[in-house]
Amino acid sequence: MAFPFSSCKPKYALLSSLLLFLPLLLLISSSVADLSFNFYGSSCPGAEFIVRNTVRSASSSDSSVLGKLLRLIFHDCFVQGCDASVLVRGNGTERTDPGNASLGGFDVIESAKNVLEIFCPGIVSCADILVLAARDAVEALGGPVVPIPTGRRDGTVSAAEDVRPNIIDTDFTVDKMINIFSSKGLSVQDLVVLSGAHTVGAAHCNTFNSRFKRDPRGNFELIDASLDNSYAQTLLNKCSSSIDPTTAVVNNDPETSSTFDNQYYKNLLAHKGLFQTDSALMEDDRTRRIVEILASDGESFLERWTESFMKMSVIGVRVGEEGEIRRSCSSVN
């Protein structure tokens, strides 16, 4: 079943999507049963509209925020579940870990929360706002409209020490990535599909410069034979020794970086994966076959993205009396 890409999809299409994914949600976790697709229907009926409007408004002045919001959900949900713990400021919190130093989009989440606190004080969680904002970012980039159940509550603990054991580093092998995904209840297919998030956004040069080495004159040269030579040269030019690798950025997708599509997988077939983890997907039979399917069928990617994104969005959710509803997303109550 293909999902229309417009936010104006007919109501019956959305309903059929919801009915399709209800059994999936029930299989994922018993706690997910406390989530629902209209959780704020009576308590804050405009909640999803407010989040979507905030995302669209922010992206109109800075389109890069869309990729940042999508990245943010990965760094939240993979560490102690989708509980908005990555948003908390303070010494020793998740945000202080070096792996989270380049995260962005925090202001968008806080802006949406501020508006929601005016109309529906103490009702909408930061965890739900974060997931909805990531969903809306994908939609704004031309991706599918993913039906998202809400009702998550915010975590009360955010610790930097929890980050590294739970996130994917850019030099991981396929085995390491599979192990991390499996620990979150996600499959090999989910790994490949969710890696498709690299079809948008940008990365700092220091996140992939292990694929190069410096010569005696301080210039970079390619040492990773899995990269296309012309693409490698483009990266070398953009990340030359005269540029600060912690500030210089390169688009994740060299072809269609502002569109959510299956170009990422076509790039992998052409040996143009930016990160070592991207290229690794082509070196393992378990993942390469899925890459090839998704590269050849854009609609299949969007359908599978909808399934995998929803699964990720309910990892380790707090529900019922667990956690809290924060007054500010950057601090626990």
Side-chain angles (χ1 to χ4, degrees):
M1 174 177 120
F3 288 87
F5 307 156
S6 168
S7 59
C8 298
K9 68 171 2 185
K11 289 184 178 180
Y12 69 83
L14 179 59
L15 177 60
S16 64
S17 299
L18 300 181
L19 292 175
L20 174 65
F21 290 108
L22 276 172
L24 171 65
L25 289 176
L26 293 175
L27 286 173
I28 294 171
S29 168
S30 59
S31 64
V32 175
D34 290 326
L35 303 179
S36 69
F37 288 105
N38 195 31
F39 186 84
Y40 299 112
S42 58
S43 59
C44 190
E48 294 196 26
F49 171 80
I50 289 171
V51 175
R52 179 178 284 107
N53 189 56
T54 303
V55 170
R56 292 299 179 113
S57 178
S59 65
S60 66
S61 57
D62 177 13
S63 60
S64 71
V65 77
L66 298 173
K68 294 173 182 177
L69 288 169
L70 180 53
R71 184 182 177 212
L72 200 56
I73 188 177
F74 283 84
H75 283 249
D76 183 48
C77 292
F78 271 66
V79 181
Q80 305 304 316
C82 304
D83 66 349
S85 54
V86 74
L87 304 179
V88 178
R89 290 182 181 273
N91 294 333
T93 62
E94 292 175 25
R95 285 177 70 166
T96 66
D97 183 88
N100 287 337
S102 61
L103 291 178
F106 297 103
D107 290 346
V108 179
I109 305 298
E110 201 67 63
S111 294
K113 177 63 171 176
N114 290 340
V115 175
L116 287 163
E117 284 299 297
I118 293 173
F119 292 100
C120 318
I123 298 297
V124 183
S125 70
C126 300
D128 275 342
I129 295 171
L130 194 159
V131 171
L132 291 170
R135 183 272 304 273
D136 296 338
V138 169
E139 180 189 351
L141 288 161
V145 182
V146 182
I148 293 293
T150 47
R152 297 164 189 78
R153 289 173 65 84
D154 301 321
T156 57
V157 176
S158 179
E161 64 202 42
D162 294 329
V163 175
R164 287 308 171 122
N166 289 290
I167 62 173
I168 303 294
D169 211 340
T170 55
D171 63 354
F172 272 18
T173 64
V174 169
D175 281 337
K176 285 185 177 180
M177 290 190 285
I178 288 176
N179 287 340
I180 292 285
F181 271 68
S182 178
S183 71
K184 313 301 174 188
L186 299 174
S187 66
V188 174
Q189 176 173 294
D190 294 324
L191 163 61
V192 180
V193 171
L194 291 172
S195 293
H198 289 165
T199 193
V200 295
H204 292 88
C205 290
N206 65 320
T207 61
F208 56 85
N209 62 12
S210 63
R211 312 188 82 175
F212 306 91
K213 71 175 182 179
R214 290 185 186 274
D215 65 20
R217 291 174 296 179
N219 296 315
F220 286 111
E221 60 183 37
L222 179 65
I223 60 173
D224 189 337
S226 66
L227 272 180
D228 173 79
N229 284 333
S230 62
Y231 179 56
Q233 189 58 53
T234 299
L235 297 179
L236 286 170
N237 293 339
K238 292 185 177 181
C239 301
S240 67
S241 58
S242 62
I243 299 175
D244 183 351
T246 64
T247 58
V249 296
V250 174
N251 288 331
N252 292 338
D253 179 350
E255 305 297 334
T256 59
S257 61
S258 60
T259 303
F260 194 87
D261 56 19
N262 71 328
Q263 183 62 45
Y264 166 76
Y265 303 101
K266 298 177 183 179
N267 295 340
L268 295 189
L269 294 182
H271 304 287
K272 295 181 180 180
L274 181 60
F275 302 113
Q276 195 169 322
T277 47
D278 295 326
S279 297
L281 297 179
M282 287 297 295
E283 298 169 2
D284 189 294
D285 288 342
R286 294 169 294 180
T287 52
R288 184 178 63 253
R289 288 193 292 268
I290 303 172
V291 169
E292 292 168 347
I293 291 170
L294 299 179
S296 66
D297 190 342
E299 285 195 5
S300 177
F301 165 58
L302 297 175
E303 291 171 6
R304 296 186 189 197
W305 171 267
T306 298
E307 299 171 10
S308 295
F309 184 87
M310 183 181 291
K311 286 175 66 176
M312 177 175 65
S313 78
V314 297
I315 294 173
V317 292
R318 274 71 169 164
V319 293
E321 298 300 315
E322 300 173 314
E324 63 183 15
I325 304 297
R326 290 185 210 143
R327 291 183 289 272
S328 168
C329 291
S330 61
S331 61
V332 297
N333 293 342

